[in-house]
Amino acid sequence: MTTSEDVGPLGLATGISLRVARSGVPSPGEPTLVLAHGWSQDLRTWDRVLGDLRRAGVSAPVLRYDHRGHGGSESPGREGATIGRAADDLAAIITDHVEGPIVLAGHSMGGMTLMALAERHPDLVRERVRAAGFVATASDDMAEMRLGIPGRRGAFVARGERVIMPFLASVGDRAPVHRADPEGDGVHSRSVALAPVVRRLVFGRHPRRADVLSVAEQTFAADPVAVAAFRASIGEHRRTSSLAALRGLPTVVLVGTRDRLCPPDHARTIAASLPDAEIVVLPGAGHMITFERSQEVAAHLQGLLEAATVAAPNNTSRETRVAG
């Protein structure tokens, strides 16, 4: 690892090549922060958070990566795009490419991947993980996506999604997937067209235009076949019980009050299984709090890094409502 960010491919024992970005110089016994992004996004999800960590003087090594089928990582197609397989990728990254103790943080599907890691690789979690951050994520109840819309309109949205996702997969199966350079003019123009929808669905109040466009561009960089398959896997995600493997570790659960995909009730469900967890509720923020409230997210990850060596367990969950 180097002091500047090193971006490149990483071949894994799972048979998938992933794009990773590593920065920071490890010191003996110092934990590495490993960041997992969400569904249809990529490692750029963490750009603002990483910048805020460095500006705060945090020099700990950080590893970000793109899930299979996302960003610059290889796509496994429909059959291999599951949260369980993503957890196996993460286990391979930790085992073969990260030394020493680890602090894990996952946004949205990235948080679900951490739960699947605890379920499928409990010995690895027990031996290596020292703290965990769950950012705008859920441990269950993701079969239907109503986007916070009540009644019949919400049911209509859920039915529409059940039609659209298989269609994306079938289109990808019939034609080669063109995953253009996100910097290209074609992707940018499509991102501008998608921006109003992105802003409505995954952001809270007054998002930056650049952040909305970044989320849209990340979506276009992902393989639609893998995106559709991962959505089906998210619907089957029921891993509240797997959180038991993380009990006793310093843990933070962050959520925005305007999160339409993983609203605050999901955060409270996670915390109910983790007596040492702190819930941080961010008023006015949507699902993409790594963009909207990057400073708060960075501050809590910094706290996890500091607590990773000497943890002070609590017996009750704490809920913090951050002003702003």
Side-chain angles (χ1 to χ4, degrees):
M1 296 184 185
T2 61
T3 52
S4 59
E5 191 154 63
D6 174 27
V7 181
L10 198 71
L12 300 183
T14 54
I16 289 289
S17 177
L18 303 184
R19 180 177 70 162
V20 300
R22 294 182 282 192
S23 65
V25 179
S27 300
E30 182 180 31
T32 295
L33 177 61
V34 179
L35 302 173
H37 67 79
W39 178 64
S40 78
Q41 299 297 284
D42 59 48
L43 57 80
R44 288 174 286 175
T45 291
W46 297 102
D47 280 354
R48 287 192 179 276
V49 173
L50 180 58
D52 289 329
L53 282 168
R54 296 313 189 207
R55 281 186 287 274
V58 177
S59 60
V62 176
L63 185 146
R64 303 180 289 161
Y65 69 100
D66 292 343
H67 290 299
R68 50 175 59 201
H70 292 70
S73 289
E74 181 182 355
S75 178
R78 183 187 301 178
E79 298 303 320
T82 68
I83 293 173
R85 295 288 183 87
D88 294 342
D89 291 341
L90 178 55
I93 289 173
I94 292 171
T95 300
D96 297 334
H97 301 282
V98 183
E99 296 181 0
I102 291 169
V103 172
L104 293 173
H107 173 258
S108 191
M109 192 183 81
M112 300 174 196
T113 302
L114 306 192
M115 299 173 204
L117 181 75
E119 175 186 73
R120 296 164 74 93
H121 303 275
D123 291 342
L124 177 63
V125 169
R126 184 179 62 254
E127 293 167 5
R128 301 287 302 279
V129 178
R130 298 292 178 266
F134 294 101
V135 183
T137 189
S139 61
D140 202 338
D141 195 24
M142 292 295 291
E144 285 196 341
M145 195 77 74
R146 292 181 174 236
L147 305 178
I149 302 172
R152 293 182 179 178
R153 289 194 302 156
F156 177 77
V157 169
R159 286 196 299 271
E161 190 206 15
R162 287 196 293 270
V163 172
I164 290 171
M165 286 298 123
F167 173 75
L168 284 177
S170 67
V171 168
D173 282 346
R174 289 198 301 269
V177 176
H178 176 61
R179 296 169 65 189
D181 180 357
E183 303 300 325
D185 291 340
V187 169
H188 181 73
S189 62
R190 284 183 291 164
S191 299
V192 171
L194 186 63
V197 177
V198 169
R199 177 172 180 160
R200 168 70 175 165
L201 292 183
V202 298
F203 282 91
R205 299 177 183 140
H206 313 302
R208 303 176 187 89
R209 183 173 183 272
D211 294 345
V212 176
L213 287 175
S214 178
V215 170
E217 289 173 357
Q218 290 173 55
T219 300
F220 282 121
D223 176 3
V225 175
V227 166
F230 269 117
R231 176 60 188 101
S233 186
I234 289 171
E236 298 168 355
H237 170 69
R238 294 174 182 85
R239 293 186 170 90
T240 302
S241 61
S242 70
L243 291 165
L246 298 168
R247 287 177 186 166
L249 297 179
T251 308
V252 65
V253 185
L254 298 106
V255 65
T257 58
R258 296 174 68 89
D259 190 332
R260 294 175 179 273
L261 304 188
C262 299
D265 282 351
H266 286 295
R268 296 186 180 103
T269 298
I270 294 170
S273 295
L274 295 170
D276 301 318
E278 177 183 8
I279 307 178
V280 179
V281 182
L282 301 169
H287 188 63
M288 299 305 299
I289 55 178
T290 54
F291 285 96
E292 297 176 81
R293 307 299 281 271
S294 62
Q295 289 184 332
E296 288 96 329
V297 174
H300 285 282
L301 295 185
Q302 181 179 2
L304 291 179
L305 285 166
E306 293 170 351
T309 302
V310 180
N314 293 316
N315 294 321
T316 57
S317 297
R318 309 184 305 284
E319 179 165 336
T320 304
R321 186 171 290 269
V322 180

